[in-house]
């Protein structure tokens, strides 16, 4: 009985600690405009004392803000241009642009990481935010996201689940129109005098044409799960006669059927935001495609192109093994930056290209890189590439970092599924020999690229760029050669090749 009583008290004690219990689930994630943000493993988004708390640095740095931390006063300073915010640990009062505001819950410090209420982030950063309690994930959307993909006009609705179809659209009122509220008072939408007027849409010759009364500059981007190209036209509205040519329902949504183009299933369109008034057009794809945008005298063309992230499937002679090597980050996502200003994306690519050079003419192995230059394939794209090609193994190359902890050092190999353990063990053995840093062991982590790939998959953290000694080792070209040779040796040993 005494032992049971002790165990019970231990569980209660652990549950009461900040960050333990409700906020400690490994699956807790943050998505900004559909892209998952890297979080400190010790301080992730989650419910704490009834409020959704998120690591502020992760989000604001992703939005281009600068963050400062004064440990003595417990003050977090955030700045971008003329904007400034000051937050104080364990204090519900904050200062925004020189004015005092009150937070729903006070910021708290968890292992040198500041957590703040999700609602505050949305209100002060101009984001649409929501918390999905089922998946334990926070979703934040800037102007690039909106109605057709699950977030409704700043209402905080839960976005469509990753990998599923877009959520049903909700009614949004056309600017310049009126309606009656429940009290019978007339409600007027945004003024439409200065808005571009979209007069028609059409799809032919493998391209979407948008006709407007003036030149417009759309924001065009790709989304996956399912594949689609999204076109946002800001400061625009549908023409009064638009419905004469194309259907619009009472929610200002419609659908253009597409025939004769097997790559496209349909084109959807909607007024998804009233502030600012924005038209969203979605090209639903049956296969992944890129795009090119041109503007001519009020006509905007979105032409479908070959997707650069979908290389042709390599011919696999009998007995050859297909290996996906993934140099992490890239392009707009630099990863971490070392104390000597080495960007993680550059280190990852340097090692990946060395592995590719060593395996390029290998008689037993075919290698495919997720990127071979300074571009940013999303995690979804990396996973899809590996799964579509039915690769035998997946290896993601990274370097580590810990904020405010320059002493953290060493090499570790991460996996998610038990089927990846044999690969992780052999990779880690050779990686340690190549780098010569502290052994941080093989560890299980819930990472998208090792979780959602269908083959054995590992993520390598060669060392800590936040540590002076590790940084000096990793940026040495000789060491990078050794790491690449070690990865190749591990691949051959895993497959039983001499």
């Amino acid at each position: 009985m005494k032992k049971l009583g002790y165990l019970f008290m231990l569980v209660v004690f652990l549950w009461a600690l900040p960050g333990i219990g409700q906020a400690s689930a490994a699956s807790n994630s943050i998505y900004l405009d559909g892209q998952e943000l890297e979080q400190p493993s010790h301080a992730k988004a989650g419910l704490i004392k009834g409020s959704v708390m998120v690591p502020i640095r992760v989000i604001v740095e992703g939005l281009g803000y600068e963050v400062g931390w004064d440990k003595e006063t417990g003050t977090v300073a955030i700045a971008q241009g003329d904007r400034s915010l000051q937050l104080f640990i364990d204090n519900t009062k904050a200062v925004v642009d020189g004015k005092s505001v009150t937070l729903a819950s006070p910021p708290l410090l968890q292992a040198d990481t500041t957590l703040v209420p999700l609602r505050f982030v949305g209100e002060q950063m101009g984001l649409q935010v929501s918390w999905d309690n089922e998946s334990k994930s926070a979703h934040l959307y800037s102007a690039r996201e909106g109605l057709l993909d699950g977030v409704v006009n700043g209402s905080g609705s839960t976005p469509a689940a990753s990998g599923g179809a877009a959520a049903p659209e909700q009614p949004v009122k056309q600017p310049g129109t009126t309606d009656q509220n429940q009290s019978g008072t007339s409600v007027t939408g945004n003024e439409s005098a200065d808005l571009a007027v979209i007069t028609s849409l059409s799809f032919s010759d493998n391209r979407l044409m948008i006709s407007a009364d003036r030149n417009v500059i759309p924001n065009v981007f790709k989304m996956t799960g399912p594949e689609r190209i999204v076109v946002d036209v800001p400061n625009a509205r549908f023409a009064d006669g638009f419905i004469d040519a194309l259907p619009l329902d009472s929610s200002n949504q419609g659908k253009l059927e597409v025939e004769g183009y097997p790559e496209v299933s349909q084109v959807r369109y909607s007024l998804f935001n009233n502030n600012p008034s924005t038209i969203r057009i979605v090209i639903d794809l049956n296969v992944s495609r890129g795009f090119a945008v041109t503007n001519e005298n009020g006509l905007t063309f979105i032409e479908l192109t070959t997707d650069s992230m979908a290389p042709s499937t390599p011919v696999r002679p009998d007995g050859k093994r297909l290996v996906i090597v993934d140099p992490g980050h890239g392009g707009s996502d630099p990863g971490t930056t070392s104390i000597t200003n080495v960007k993680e994306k550059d280190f990852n690519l340097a090692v990946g290209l060395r592995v590719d050079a060593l395996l390029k003419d290998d008689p037993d192995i075919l290698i495919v890189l997720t990127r071979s230059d300074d571009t940013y394939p999303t995690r979804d794209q990396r996973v899809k590439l590996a799964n579509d090609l039915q690769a035998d193994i997946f290896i993601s190359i990274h370097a580590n970092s810990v904020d405010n902890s320059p002493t953290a050092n060493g090499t570790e190999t991460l996996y998610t599924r038990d089927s990846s353990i044999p690969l992780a063990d052999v990779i880690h053995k050779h990686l340690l020999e190549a780098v010569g840093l502290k052994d941080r062991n093989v560890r299980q982590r819930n990472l998208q690229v090792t979780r959602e790939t269908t083959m054995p998959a590992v993520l390598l953290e060669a060392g800590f760029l936040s540590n002076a000694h590790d940084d000096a080792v990793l940026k040495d070209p000789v060491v990078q050669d050794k790491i690449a040779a070690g990865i190749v040796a591990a691949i051959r040993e895993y497959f039983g090749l001499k």
Side-chain angles (χ1 to χ4, degrees):
M1 289 296 293
K2 288 184 177 180
K3 183 178 289 186
L4 288 174
Y6 171 77
L7 290 174
F8 176 77
M9 291 301 295
L10 178 62
V11 170
V12 172
F13 175 74
L14 291 174
W15 184 262
L17 287 176
I20 303 295
Q22 296 180 71
S24 64
S27 61
N28 289 15
S29 303
I30 299 176
Y31 295 89
L32 176 61
D33 286 340
Q35 300 297 321
E36 185 176 2
L37 301 180
E38 295 282 352
Q39 301 182 77
S41 59
H42 54 269
K44 291 191 172 184
L47 281 167
I48 299 178
K49 296 181 180 180
S51 292
V52 178
M53 306 293 285
V54 294
I56 185 65
R57 181 183 291 273
V58 168
I59 296 169
V60 298
E61 287 186 344
L63 293 168
Y65 285 71
E66 295 180 356
V67 185
W69 164 245
D70 188 335
K71 189 173 184 178
E72 291 185 3
T73 62
T75 302
V76 180
I78 303 168
Q80 184 190 61
D82 296 330
R83 292 224 63 197
S84 66
L85 300 88
Q86 287 182 301
L87 305 171
F88 309 97
I89 300 301
D90 297 326
N91 192 333
T92 57
K93 295 296 182 183
V95 178
V96 178
D97 296 333
K99 297 180 180 179
S100 177
V101 299
T102 301
L103 283 68
S105 299
L108 59 89
L109 194 64
Q110 186 166 292
D112 292 328
T113 296
T114 303
L115 301 177
V116 303
L118 176 63
R119 180 180 297 179
F120 173 86
V121 175
E123 291 173 348
Q124 302 304 328
M125 306 297 171
L127 303 173
Q128 299 168 325
V129 300
S130 66
W131 172 254
D132 186 341
N133 199 47
E134 183 176 350
S135 65
K136 298 293 186 290
S137 57
H139 296 260
L140 303 94
Y141 292 83
S142 63
R144 293 190 307 165
E145 297 294 332
L147 177 65
L148 286 184
D149 286 291
V151 173
V152 182
N153 203 26
S155 65
S157 317
T158 301
S162 177
E169 291 81 355
Q170 301 294 322
V172 179
K173 195 165 178 52
Q174 174 85 348
T177 62
T178 62
D179 202 352
Q180 300 292 314
N181 62 18
Q182 292 180 351
S183 65
T185 305
S186 178
V187 181
T188 304
N190 293 346
E191 294 300 324
S192 59
D194 295 326
L195 300 178
V197 177
I198 305 299
T199 56
S200 68
L201 302 173
S202 64
F203 189 91
S204 62
D205 298 326
N206 217 36
R207 65 182 180 179
L208 173 73
M209 184 181 75
I210 305 168
S211 179
D213 68 342
R214 69 191 76 170
N215 273 334
V216 294
I217 306 298
N219 179 24
V220 188
F221 54 97
K222 290 186 60 177
M223 298 188 74
T224 58
E227 295 285 344
R228 55 209 188 275
I229 294 173
V230 181
V231 184
D232 282 348
V233 185
N235 301 310
R237 67 177 181 89
F238 291 118
D240 294 337
F242 186 91
I243 196 171
D244 295 336
L246 292 169
L248 274 174
D249 63 19
S250 60
S251 301
N252 282 310
Q253 303 171 59
K255 183 170 63 175
L256 174 65
E257 299 294 342
V258 175
E259 297 181 356
Y261 298 91
E263 298 172 350
V264 179
S265 62
Q266 63 181 2
V267 174
R268 295 178 287 135
Y269 46 89
S270 173
L271 175 69
F272 86 96
N273 200 351
N274 261 340
N275 189 22
S277 180
T278 305
I279 301 295
R280 166 161 287 190
I281 305 158
V282 179
I283 307 173
D284 289 321
L285 301 170
N286 295 318
V287 294
S288 181
R289 283 290 175 265
F291 61 86
V293 182
T294 57
N295 288 277
E296 299 176 6
N297 301 321
L299 297 178
T300 299
F301 298 93
I302 315 297
E303 185 168 2
L304 300 186
T305 63
T306 301
D307 191 346
S308 60
M309 186 50 207
S312 57
T313 303
V315 178
R316 297 175 64 175
D318 291 342
K320 279 211 170 189
R321 309 303 182 101
L322 178 58
V323 176
I324 301 291
V325 173
D326 171 41
H329 304 286
S332 60
D333 176 16
T336 188
T337 301
S338 81
I339 57 176
T340 57
N341 207 36
V342 173
K343 292 182 173 60
E344 181 192 356
K345 67 175 183 178
D346 296 332
F347 166 79
N348 300 341
L349 182 60
V351 174
L353 291 174
R354 283 168 163 83
V355 174
D356 182 56
L358 292 172
L359 288 177
K360 184 168 56 177
D361 298 320
D362 193 288
D364 303 306
I365 297 170
L366 287 171
I367 180 173
V368 172
L369 296 177
T370 59
R371 67 181 183 99
S372 58
D373 53 19
D374 189 22
T375 54
Y376 176 66
T378 66
R379 293 187 190 91
D380 286 340
Q381 288 174 317
R382 298 171 203 248
V383 169
K384 186 177 186 299
L385 176 67
N387 291 343
D388 285 353
L389 295 182
Q390 299 179 0
D392 292 292
I393 60 174
F394 177 97
I395 300 171
S396 190
I397 300 169
H398 287 257
N400 221 331
S401 177
V402 175
D403 290 341
N404 304 318
S405 182
T407 59
N409 66 313
T411 300
E412 61 189 19
T413 301
L414 309 178
Y415 72 96
T416 301
R417 294 170 282 107
D418 288 349
S419 59
S420 299
I421 293 176
L423 175 62
D425 286 341
V426 70
I427 284 278
H428 189 69
K429 178 185 72 173
H430 286 276
L431 189 60
L432 277 177
E433 293 174 356
V435 184
L437 297 176
K438 174 185 173 181
D439 184 0
R440 292 175 60 90
N441 303 314
V442 173
R443 303 185 180 195
Q444 187 175 34
R445 291 289 185 270
N446 188 15
L447 306 170
Q448 182 178 356
V449 294
T450 55
R451 181 184 67 242
E452 297 181 9
T453 42
T454 56
M455 69 292 305
V458 297
L459 186 146
L460 315 180
E461 296 281 13
F464 281 76
L465 293 178
S466 54
N467 178 273
H469 178 258
D470 284 17
D471 175 40
V473 170
L474 295 184
K475 68 183 182 182
D476 185 344
V478 174
V479 174
Q480 293 175 6
D481 287 338
K482 290 181 178 179
I483 294 173
I487 292 172
V488 171
I491 292 170
R492 297 192 65 81
E493 179 177 336
Y494 177 79
F495 289 133
L497 301 170
K498 295 182 179 180

